[in-house]
Amino acid sequence: RAKSSVPTKPRHLTITRVFQDGVELNWMPPSEPNGELHYIIQYGSNTTNTASNLTYYNLTGLVNGTTYNITVMAVNSAGNSTSDVMKYTHNSATASKCKYVMIFIGIVR
């Protein structure tokens, strides 16, 4: 039986929302997952294991004015991928003020 390979790195790490004390991260899965995945996120001296194959995560506990190197690694049974990395300085002044979004769809005849 052939030994499985580690996944390639996650792609296109982005921040889609800013909160008072954190951000919502989104990324694309690896082009070659090579098995079932979960993700590890590192920022500052913190490491979070998502224990999930979801490609988004709400990162909380960020300090205003602090710059973080945020990394996301894909993990399968063979090990960790290389990281997708972004540098981010948290600015809580840009936090979303709206908690709910309502969308109205009308049909015109």
Side-chain angles (χ1 to χ4, degrees), residues 3-106:
K3 183 179 176 192
S4 60
S5 299
V6 298
T8 55
K9 75 178 186 173
R11 303 167 291 145
H12 311 295
L13 175 60
T14 58
I15 292 173
T16 52
R17 287 195 301 172
V18 177
F19 307 109
Q20 196 67 27
D21 71 337
V23 294
E24 179 180 87
L25 300 173
N26 279 271
W27 59 89
M28 297 290 296
S31 58
E32 296 178 29
N34 298 320
E36 291 187 34
L37 294 176
H38 68 275
Y39 296 94
I40 294 177
I41 300 168
Q42 295 178 322
Y43 59 104
S45 61
N46 301 300
T47 299
T48 299
N49 184 338
T50 67
S52 166
N53 66 354
L54 298 176
T55 57
Y56 61 88
Y57 189 80
N58 286 341
L59 194 60
T60 59
L62 302 183
V63 176
N64 195 42
T66 302
T67 299
Y68 297 90
N69 286 320
I70 300 172
T71 66
V72 176
M73 290 181 285
V75 181
N76 67 13
S77 60
N80 298 357
S81 71
T82 58
S83 301
D84 194 2
V85 181
M86 78 171 358
K87 184 172 253 178
Y88 169 72
T89 301
H90 188 60
N91 181 354
S92 60
T94 61
S96 302
K97 305 294 186 221
C98 180
K99 292 188 179 192
Y100 302 98
V101 175
M102 297 179 77
I103 299 173
F104 295 94
I105 300 174

